[in-house]
Amino acid sequence: MTIDMSTIPAECIVKQGDDWMLVAPIPDAIAEEVAAYSVAQRATMKHIVGSEEVRRKVVGNRMRQDRLCAAIVNGEIAGCISYRMDGEGSVWPEAKRFREHFGPVSGTFRYMLAEATLHRGHRDELYLEGFKVDPAARGRGIGTALLHWLGSEVVRRGKSRWRTEASVTAAPAMRVYQGVGAKPTKTVHLGPIGRIADRPSFVVLVWEPPVDTPAGT
């Protein structure tokens, strides 16, 4: 679906390139499309909810529009970044939708798992829950710009850092994270559980705002 760019208020445009822009907070006119795109990218939701089509139907209906920044390239959503804060993520899972799609027992169980993922993180940080730039849109600096937006949110929200997890095999993502100053803190091996989730090992990365150097030092 091509977005009518005239529906995006100027105050929601965070940054612009030659053929792209970052938009935050998400205006009402594109909220449904951004929510659906965002949940379709979630690896955690993939294993709890199912295919991209099912994730869009079951989860991609409600979002906190100020906790997500979308990248739009030539009128198409081509990337996004979102975070959790104080135990609440950028989307609201709705128990009714889970039960309607999966049935009362399986739907309730899957809903509880989805809800549990929203409580990761600490009160003094933002937890990066979703980060995606479509392959065709890469090479424009969009990923770096999205992470800089997240850093500005850390400061705006009065938090001390953002934290995320990346697969040990995700070398391009690791380069982008480290390129903005995020530091690996530990590697976690999940064993058999990780093999089931297609994620046997991951690296925990933390970004903290630069400390200003006092004048004269």
Side-chain angles (χ1 to χ4, degrees), residues 150-212:
L150 185 64
S152 69
E153 286 290 282
V154 169
V155 176
R156 186 175 76 87
R157 296 286 193 176
K159 303 298 184 179
S160 65
R161 62 183 179 266
W162 61 253
R163 180 169 63 91
T164 196
E165 299 157 0
S167 171
V168 295
T169 60
M174 290 288 290
R175 286 194 294 270
V176 178
Y177 288 137
Q178 293 181 278
V180 299
K183 294 179 173 57
T185 59
K186 63 179 177 180
T187 300
V188 178
H189 302 284
L190 297 177
I193 295 176
R195 286 193 291 273
I196 294 173
D198 298 327
R199 197 183 192 190
S201 303
F202 61 83
V203 177
V204 178
L205 297 109
V206 172
W207 178 93
E208 297 177 332
V211 177
D212 293 334

Side-chain angles (χ1 to χ4, degrees), residues 113-185:
L113 286 178
E115 272 283 282
T117 68
L118 301 180
H119 295 280
R120 298 162 71 185
H122 305 287
R123 294 192 66 85
D124 62 341
E125 71 181 14
L126 302 184
Y127 182 88
L128 194 169
E129 66 177 3
F131 179 43
K132 169 74 175 181
V133 178
D134 290 348
R138 293 172 187 168
R140 295 170 168 84
I142 293 173
T144 297
L146 287 169
L147 289 173
H148 282 314
W149 173 83
L150 185 64
S152 69
E153 286 290 282
V154 169
V155 176
R156 186 175 76 87
R157 296 286 193 176
K159 303 298 184 179
S160 65
R161 62 183 179 266
W162 61 253
R163 180 169 63 91
T164 196
E165 299 157 0
S167 171
V168 295
T169 60
M174 290 288 290
R175 286 194 294 270
V176 178
Y177 288 137
Q178 293 181 278
V180 299
K183 294 179 173 57
T185 59

Side-chain angles (χ1 to χ4, degrees), residues 42-50 55 110 196-199:
R42 307 284 178 83
T44 302
M45 290 293 179
K46 173 182 177 181
H47 296 291
I48 296 173
V49 181
R55 295 198 299 276
R110 290 170 189 261
I196 294 173
D198 298 327
R199 197 183 192 190

Side-chain angles (χ1 to χ4, degrees), residues 19 38 49 69 82 93 96 104 170 209:
D19 61 351
S38 178
V49 181
C69 182
S82 61
K96 179 181 177 182

